[in-house]
Amino acid sequence: MQFRHFKGGIYDFICAAKLESDPTITMIVYTAADGSYWTRPESVFFEKIEHDGKTVQRFTPIDDTAA
């Protein structure tokens, strides 16, 4: 599944993984178009933020079924 970052980048969701040092925290693993891998806590990945005076999702799922 792909997600669009609020700044415009497109990222591929890889998996959700437990943080070894604190298994109560789920990390989202995702990759950018340049092949780099990134992680964020699930709570941060899916949170809503303020941007240009509006409340938006940090990452929005891209509906790949619409064609």
Side-chain angles (χ1 to χ4, degrees):
M1 173 176 241
Q2 290 189 317
F3 287 83
R4 182 181 314 278
H5 188 265
F6 75 97
K7 292 182 181 176
I10 304 295
Y11 297 89
D12 289 318
F13 177 92
I14 301 299
C15 68
K18 297 292 183 184
L19 189 60
E20 181 184 5
S21 60
D22 184 350
T24 66
I25 298 174
T26 299
M27 299 295 290
I28 301 299
V29 181
Y30 57 103
T31 188
D34 66 3
S36 59
Y37 283 82
W38 298 85
T39 63
R40 284 184 194 255
E42 182 178 45
S43 61
V44 173
F45 190 90
F46 290 110
E47 77 181 339
K48 291 187 178 186
I49 59 165
E50 287 289 321
H51 179 68
D52 291 337
K54 297 178 183 175
T55 301
V56 296
Q57 285 186 246
R58 183 181 301 276
F59 287 91
T60 304
I62 297 173
D63 184 5
D64 58 359
T65 61

